[in-house]
């Protein structure tokens, strides 16, 4: 899956704050994501993150 820094990921499950959108700030073996609702930062292993992605938005357009 082609995920780049700056992409916005729409996940299958919502964060407890209610937002499903996460901005990618680091890519590698792990993804560093920032919640679009509350700004919470998390590090997820690539495999777990890729399973949870519903769609990828790059520049506001679905990839």
């Amino acid at each position: 899956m082609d995920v780049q820094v700056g992409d916005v990921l729409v996940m299958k499950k919502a964060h407890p704050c209610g937002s499903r959108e996460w901005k990618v700030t680091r890519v590698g073996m792990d993804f560093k994501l920032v919640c679009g609702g509350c700004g919470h930062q998390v590090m997820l292993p690539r495999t777990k993150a890729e399973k949870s992605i519903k769609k990828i938005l790059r520049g506001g357009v679905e990839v």
Side-chain angles (χ1 to χ4, degrees):
M1 193 172 283
D2 181 34
V3 177
Q4 300 174 358
V5 174
D7 288 351
V8 175
L9 306 178
V10 179
M11 302 300 227
K12 293 178 183 174
K13 287 188 169 185
H15 189 247
C17 74
S19 176
R20 291 176 179 256
E21 296 185 354
W22 294 81
K23 185 173 182 180
V24 180
T25 57
R26 181 181 179 275
V27 177
M29 286 298 291
D30 298 317
F31 288 159
K32 185 171 185 181
L33 306 173
V34 178
C35 178
C38 63
H40 184 80
Q41 296 183 8
V42 295
M43 292 280 289
L44 285 177
R46 178 180 280 269
T47 54
K48 186 171 182 179
E50 286 180 345
K51 287 180 187 175
S52 323
I53 295 172
K54 190 171 185 180
K55 34 179 176 172
I56 303 171
L57 303 175
R58 188 170 295 145
V61 180
E62 186 176 344
V63 176

